[in-house]
Amino acid sequence: MELSFSPEESAFRDEVRQFIHDHLPHDVQKNMIEGREIGKQAIVDWQRKLNAKGWAVPHWPQAWGGKDWSPVMEYILLEELQAAPAPQPLPFNVSMVGPVIATFGSDAQKQKFLPATANIDIWWCQGFSEPGAGSDLAGLKTTARREGDFYIINGQKTWTTLAQYADWIFVLARTNPQAAKKQEGISFILVDMKTPGITVRPIQLIDGGHEVNEVWFDEVKVPAENLVGEENKGWDYAKFLLGNERTGIARVGASKQRLRRVRELAALERAGDGALIEAPWFREKLAEVDVDLKALEITQLRILSDARKSGKHGVPDPRSSILKIKGSEIQQATTELLMEVVGPLAMPFQGSGEPEDASNEMAIGPEDAAYAAPTYFNWRKISIYGGSNEIQRNIIAKAILGF
Amino acid sequence: MDFDYTDEQRLLADSVAKLFANRYGDFEKRKHYATLPGGFDRAVWAEYAEAGLLALPFGEDHGGFGGGPVETMIVMEQIGRALALEPYMANTIFAGAILRHSANHALRDMMAPKLAAGEAIIAVAHTERHSRYDLHDVTTAARRDGDDFVLEGDKTVVIGGDSADYLIVSARIEGGRRDRHGIGLFLVDANAPGVSRRGYKMQDLTPGAEISLASVRVPANHDLGGLPLLERAADEAIAAICAEAVGAMESLIAMTVDYMKTRKQFGVPIAVFQALQHRAVDMTVAAEQARSMAVYAALSAASDNAKERSEAIAMAKTAVSKAARFVGQQAIQLHGGIGVTMEYKAGHYFKRLTMLTMQFGDADHFLRRLAA
Ligand SMILES: Cc1cc2nc3c(=O)[nH]c(=O)nc-3n(C[C@H](O)[C@H](O)[C@H](O)COP(=O)(O)OP(=O)(O)OC[C@H]3O[C@@H](n4cnc5c(N)ncnc54)[C@H](O)[C@@H]3O)c2cc1C
């Protein structure tokens, strides 16, 4: 057993840090530290820099820009990006649709989509969830009817993250309504967002921000060549996609970054006669989260190390549900701490950019105070999406109890 | 020992519930009220007055009804259920308590009837950039100049401050920043020369303000009292907040349970899943415990024994804050995605509960007071 990284791994970590230091725009980093939105262009620009360096899609097949790295190397890159903080490569592109196309897509699809996906020349969004199909994704009702060389798609997707930025959407739709099981009869189809019949409607989230949407399909005509893999096998591809999220799901680096910020702010806030950061009761609270986070970090590394030894890179480990549960709980705990640090200054609403909310232009106290409560509110989402924490517990229950 | 309402109290609860059902039953109306000047609807405020709510805690000699903390609890619980925006706690309860208990009888007898009649709104400006939740941490200065005091300083996150006609400002007459003595509570005309304010909405859409005082002159006899008076009034306000939180929690739990019974996944209502049933149970347990502590706070709030009172209030605020956080978070979780949308009411309860846990101090603050 050995806790530290190998010399090559350490050297790689230093290289990543240096790269971020040299290339990440200062304002992007500052906005991320303080919890502000950074917008589409900053994400695209940064991913293009990573892509040019060969770091946007290291886990893809080598023919399509992959690096054949160990899981630990992938982990180091993601952790360093989160810790900086820098934008992560767009998950819809690099972790979701990219690997599906690379694994199950036709050669023509690979040629057409993979390089553009790695470089965000195409911004993808994920059209899985529907109003009636959340945790029970296989209950989806959107249909794709075959007519000659086309599919005609009808239905409604919801919670579609950043559909307002997206050029393409990958959709799960029912191609065989008569299938015996609801998981059978679903297909995985790629759809150009400019196709007539698609309507995107914003959903405002609890913090006032616009990050999710409803996407409506009304007789949307899609070339049949946009079907990925086989018709009615979409559920298998979706499961592959959802199981692919292992690396980085715990977001240890992101939590480290926010705890660092908590410490910085707690040095600025006063508690009694000293700084808050000096108050023993506050240090205990921080230490408790530190302990939890350290355990998570080592758990993550153990799982990665097993994956490396077994060579089963890319095969989901049921223990990744642990990473999702603890990772989201710890991230949420860090947002609570941050809000508690700014205390009363977290209460004023600083506006969301929506006209009716533009009531307060100036931050009160440190810049982050404006975002502390909204971030805490918004971060409740991370125990809901990507398989809710209850669903993750069901997975672990099944693994340990057998039914 | 008796935990029942009297017949009058039951009538009060019914009439307040009816007022809010009319005014807030349609949740869209709340959004509209928040856009009005000052952040709430004066017509609704006038109905508070008509229903006698603004006069409730004041004595008959001030045009009031002599209601006590239990009556306050009844009203605040309904405010919590309705997610009402009006500054009832800040004005009628908090500022009202400062006036009611003030030894400055002349000023009290002049202002209390105005509050009771709904002719003026007062906000208490006590929080400063670095005071956190400590009422005695005051740097705003009150310098004696002839028959006047001259106030200098900044107050932050003044609840209800946006619409107030008058402010009660805590300011330091003498002593160091955190000395318990040497603090005055000055009644200031909110439109007096040297007072500037910037109104805004809080995270829960209720109105608040930043207030600056630049060489603001107030007559020396506009000092209502010192720190003990502020602490006593704050204790009554905290008891009120506990009741508000209980109302909000119970409504939120009812909403969540309803949702669990109607939301279907995997072919069944999600209420069928035992993990979720137990979660709803834990929320209910937390809310019941919180209600007990809100009652405890209400029954202790009027005590003249400052030590006993402040200990009871600290216990109540600790327990209620913890319950509010748990219930709020779990309600969102049990709703799934819809829980984190602006459109849906559950998220607004969650935000209000979060703000209530912070007002006058969070659970950590009061735990430390208890442990000290
Ligand atoms: C901010 C945000 C962004 C999102 N982005 C996307 C996106 O880009 N693309 C996309 O397709 N989807 C997206 N989603 C959707 C997300 O995946 C769903 O919200 C999630 O699957 C939960 O579904 P639901 O919201 O319908 O909740 P429901 O499934 O209705 O769940 C409600 C509650 O019931 C619990 N529950 C459900 N079933 C069980 C069970 N069997 N046992 C125990 N408890 C259970 C849940 O855990 C939850 O607490 C996003 C969601 C959010 C909030």
Side-chain angles (χ1 to χ4, degrees), chain B residues 11-330:
Chain B
L11 276 176
L12 173 66
D14 288 347
S15 74
V16 179
K18 206 171 289 164
L19 189 164
F20 286 123
N22 280 336
R23 287 304 195 159
Y24 280 93
D26 172 3
F27 194 57
E28 288 301 307
K29 285 190 187 160
R30 181 177 186 265
K31 275 186 213 158
H32 167 67
Y33 299 154
T35 64
L36 298 173
F40 65 95
D41 187 347
R42 295 283 174 162
V44 178
W45 192 239
E47 283 185 23
Y48 279 61
E50 260 167 58
L53 306 186
L54 302 186
L56 192 59
F58 294 97
E60 280 169 29
D61 44 344
H62 292 136
F65 297 109
V70 175
E71 282 72 22
T72 298
M73 178 171 78
I74 288 168
V75 177
M76 290 303 298
E77 187 184 322
Q78 297 298 335
I79 287 180
R81 291 182 183 283
L83 289 172
L85 298 167
E86 295 74 26
Y88 189 75
M89 184 285 292
N91 170 74
T92 310
I93 305 305
F94 189 24
I98 292 178
L99 291 177
R100 282 189 287 111
H101 299 301
S102 173
N104 183 339
H105 291 177
L107 198 55
R108 176 194 70 185
D109 294 344
M110 185 177 93
M111 294 309 295
K114 288 194 193 199
L115 280 204
E119 288 164 6
I121 292 178
I122 306 183
V124 186
H126 59 93
T127 305
E128 298 185 357
R129 168 66 187 88
H130 279 293
S131 65
R132 278 188 95 71
Y133 302 118
D134 291 336
L135 297 172
H136 62 281
D137 195 321
V138 178
T139 59
T140 296
R143 182 172 46 82
R144 185 76 192 225
D145 185 29
D147 288 339
D148 293 338
F149 276 103
V150 179
L151 305 184
E152 203 79 50
D154 297 314
K155 296 289 180 177
T156 188
V157 198
V158 178
I159 296 168
D162 193 10
S163 54
D165 306 301
Y166 297 89
L167 303 166
I168 294 173
V169 177
S170 62
R172 187 159 288 291
I173 302 166
E174 59 181 33
R177 181 171 68 88
R178 291 177 58 79
D179 283 348
R180 292 186 58 83
H181 69 90
I183 293 169
L185 299 177
F186 295 92
L187 181 79
V188 179
D189 185 329
N191 299 308
V195 178
S196 53
R197 64 177 146 183
R198 181 160 66 89
Y200 47 69
K201 292 177 182 56
M202 308 283 245
Q203 299 288 346
D204 59 3
L205 279 190
T206 57
E210 298 297 285
I211 297 199
S212 287
L213 304 140
S215 303
V216 177
R217 252 174 206 283
V218 284
N221 61 8
H222 271 210
D223 185 357
L224 284 156
L227 183 66
L229 176 61
L230 180 59
E231 289 183 336
R232 173 170 197 162
D235 283 347
E236 289 189 21
I238 293 167
I241 287 170
C242 289
E244 181 178 355
V246 167
M249 274 189 259
E250 288 182 354
S251 294
L252 180 54
I253 291 171
M255 243 189 121
T256 306
V257 167
D258 271 352
Y259 188 77
M260 288 169 66
K261 290 193 228 168
T262 48
R263 170 68 173 169
K264 283 193 176 162
Q265 288 289 275
F266 304 98
V268 291
I270 58 171
V272 163
F273 302 124
Q274 204 162 39
L276 304 193
Q277 291 173 5
H278 286 188
R279 199 83 54 81
V281 169
D282 288 342
M283 292 162 70
T284 306
V285 170
E288 280 297 334
Q289 294 276 82
R291 173 172 284 282
S292 299
M293 290 309 257
V295 168
Y296 180 50
L299 298 179
S300 311
S303 166
D304 289 326
N305 182 328
K307 193 174 173 310
E308 270 176 32
R309 190 188 65 228
S310 112
E311 190 173 303
I313 294 294
M315 284 188 150
K317 187 65 172 27
T318 303
V320 170
S321 296
K322 287 190 160 186
R325 175 171 289 186
F326 177 74
V327 169
Q329 292 179 349
Q330 294 309 325

Side-chain angles (χ1 to χ4, degrees), chain A residues 92 125-131 133-137 158-161 205 211-212 381 384-391 394, chain B residues 259 263-266 270 273 275-276 333-338 340:
Chain A
F92 311 110
C125 64
Q126 180 192 19
F128 281 15
S129 304
E130 298 181 4
S135 298
D136 180 18
L137 183 58
T158 193
W159 309 123
T160 320
T161 299
L205 285 193
E211 60 181 84
V212 299
K381 72 188 176 190
I384 294 170
Y385 66 36
S388 74
N389 282 16
E390 288 75 23
I391 296 299
N394 287 348
Chain B
Y259 188 77
R263 170 68 173 169
K264 283 193 176 162
Q265 288 289 275
F266 304 98
I270 58 171
F273 302 124
L276 304 193
Q333 182 69 22
L334 294 183
H335 274 92
I338 194 153
V340 290

Side-chain angles (χ1 to χ4, degrees), chain A residues 124 167-169 190-196 198 220 222 226:
Chain A
W124 289 93
D167 305 300
W168 283 71
I169 181 169
L190 312 175
V191 184
D192 187 334
M193 290 291 281
K194 290 189 294 295
T195 320
I198 297 180
V220 175
V222 180
N226 290 3

Side-chain angles (χ1 to χ4, degrees), chain A residues 206 270 285 336 360 383, chain B residues 177 198 325 333 351 364:
Chain A
I206 188 169
R270 235 164 30 194
K285 274 179 81 109
E336 277 179 48
N360 193 8
S383 50
Chain B
R177 181 171 68 88
R198 181 160 66 89
R325 175 171 289 186
Q333 182 69 22
K351 290 198 273 190
D364 286 329

